[in-house]
Amino acid sequence: LEEGGVRRITRMRWTEASFTNGQPPPSPRSGHSATVVNGGEDVVVFGGLHTSNFIGETVVLSLSEGRWWRPPSAAVGGPGPRAFHCAVAVDKQLFVICGRTGRQQHGDTWVLDTTTWEWRPMGRMPGAVGSDTIAPRDFGTAQRVGGTDKIVLFGGYDGKKWLSDAHVLDTANGVWRLLNFPSPSPSPRSGHAMSTAQNGRHLLFGGQGPNGTLCHDLWALRGVDETVRDDDHDDNSPSRDPPAHASSSGGGGARWTRLQLRGDAPAARAGHALVALDRFIVVFGGGGGKGWMSKQQEYRNDLHVIDRESMRWRRLAGSAPSEAGRGGGGPP
């Protein structure tokens, strides 16, 4: 995104990145993770699904050298083939949480040391006193809590039902903690997306719930951890005064606020991307139509943004990277 305000945001455009040095790039896949690590020096691509084959390789893109490579040490052990997991970087570590292989959901947590490129179960990390497992799920979403050593996980699908629980992982000791919050809160869902805003609050959009219902609601989660700074902005907004029709669960501790912003909001979808860039929140792609997991699913290639100064949705015309849409992929 170019800086400089609302008018210049219409100049956003996609450029295909080509890295010809080093090893071949990752093979085609969906349901994988691509996570920036080492202060923006590398991107780690892990796992995924191609047709009915689950993938377990770890591929690294060195942005400084412009090359793909596969660390030999990362090929030993590790989470194994899986897709639809969560991946979060905390300092020099990459945490891979849950996911699915075949019809089996996972509840484990693995840690990749991005200096040695070695995998370990979280329970075997130095200082770990907790279990490295949580209730199994796939299609959940997780984010780092501000600049802390904690990760927040929300929702997913356990193979029988959609989930609306939230947990916090203290990566220093490997302990998971269940978050309790009053109503209102997001309905059970999977395939949603979450990002961390400038002020440390977490924004959640979309997903799919029971009976294939697609969601198009936007939520803000604050108070996840007492170490996150409580700034002077109102609780009902990502960064400034709330719209008149925002609703909040109120009270102390973790709480959700539903945001209903004006403008050209994205249609209901799941399997999309949600990214915070400077003062903008960007939503791209995803599955829509008759349901993300149906055979009649439609993939989207539209791009919407929230400018947190104007607190409005905007759709950016002509900004798609290709004619074909794309999403996170559904179960085979």
Side-chain angles (χ1 to χ4, degrees):
L1 275 171
E2 296 185 23
E3 298 180 358
V6 174
R7 292 183 180 179
R8 296 188 64 189
I9 195 173
T10 57
R11 298 180 183 178
M12 179 193 294
R13 63 178 180 271
W14 291 94
T15 301
E16 183 176 359
S18 177
F19 301 95
T20 57
N21 297 327
Q23 299 177 3
S27 58
R29 65 192 66 192
S30 64
H32 55 287
S33 56
T35 314
V36 177
V37 300
N38 295 334
E41 295 183 3
D42 302 293
V43 177
V44 177
V45 175
F46 172 75
L49 173 70
H50 182 244
T51 60
S52 60
N53 298 315
F54 286 81
I55 302 168
E57 70 171 351
T58 304
V59 189
V60 180
L61 172 61
S62 172
L63 296 175
S64 59
E65 300 177 5
R67 69 183 182 97
W68 292 99
W69 67 293
R70 291 161 173 79
S73 55
V76 180
R82 70 180 63 195
F84 318 123
H85 52 278
C86 302
V88 181
V90 177
D91 299 329
K92 295 292 185 178
Q93 297 176 321
L94 174 66
F95 291 79
V96 168
I97 304 167
C98 299
R100 179 165 66 82
T101 306
R103 296 294 177 182
Q104 179 183 356
Q105 278 79 16
H106 301 292
D108 52 354
T109 303
W110 287 80
V111 186
L112 176 67
D113 185 322
T114 61
T115 59
T116 64
W117 302 107
E118 294 178 343
W119 286 102
R120 288 187 186 179
M122 186 176 65
R124 297 182 185 174
M125 296 297 295
V129 297
S131 170
D132 60 0
T133 61
I134 196 172
R137 68 194 66 205
D138 55 16
F139 297 105
T141 189
Q143 283 287 317
R144 185 177 183 178
V145 180
T148 73
D149 57 3
K150 296 177 174 57
I151 295 172
V152 60
L153 168 72
F154 175 80
Y157 181 71
D158 69 1
K160 296 181 179 179
K161 63 182 182 299
W162 283 262
L163 306 173
S164 60
D165 54 344
H167 302 259
V168 171
L169 170 65
D170 187 336
T171 64
N173 56 25
V175 174
W176 284 100
R177 174 170 59 93
L178 176 66
L179 283 180
N180 295 305
F181 30 74
S183 298
S185 62
S187 58
R189 67 189 64 197
S190 65
H192 45 289
M194 184 165 62
S195 184
T196 304
Q198 284 177 319
N199 52 22
R201 293 179 185 139
H202 304 280
L203 302 181
L204 182 148
F205 176 77
Q208 175 172 293
N211 301 317
T213 303
L214 290 170
C215 307
H216 59 89
D217 45 352
L218 176 69
W219 293 83
L221 174 64
R222 72 173 302 275
V224 173
D225 188 86
E226 63 276 7
T227 61
V228 176
R229 183 175 65 90
D230 187 8
D231 59 25
D232 294 331
H233 296 304
D234 193 285
D235 295 340
N236 296 339
S237 166
S239 64
R240 58 176 294 181
D241 291 339
H245 41 295
S247 57
S248 175
S249 56
R255 55 190 181 271
W256 288 99
T257 300
R258 182 173 181 178
L259 306 178
Q260 300 185 47
L261 308 184
R262 293 168 292 180
D264 191 357
R269 66 191 63 204
H272 50 286
L274 176 68
V275 182
L277 296 174
D278 298 321
R279 73 166 191 264
F280 302 105
I281 306 295
V282 181
V283 175
F284 171 73
K290 296 183 179 180
W292 184 38
M293 298 184 183
S294 72
K295 295 182 179 179
Q296 293 79 32
Q297 62 185 321
E298 300 172 359
Y299 290 108
R300 301 184 181 278
N301 66 351
D302 53 345
L303 189 146
H304 296 253
V305 301
I306 301 173
D307 184 332
R308 287 178 288 181
E309 289 189 359
S310 65
M311 289 306 298
R312 295 180 65 94
W313 283 106
R314 281 188 75 183
R315 176 173 179 170
L316 301 189
S319 57
S322 67
E323 293 298 324
R326 62 187 68 192

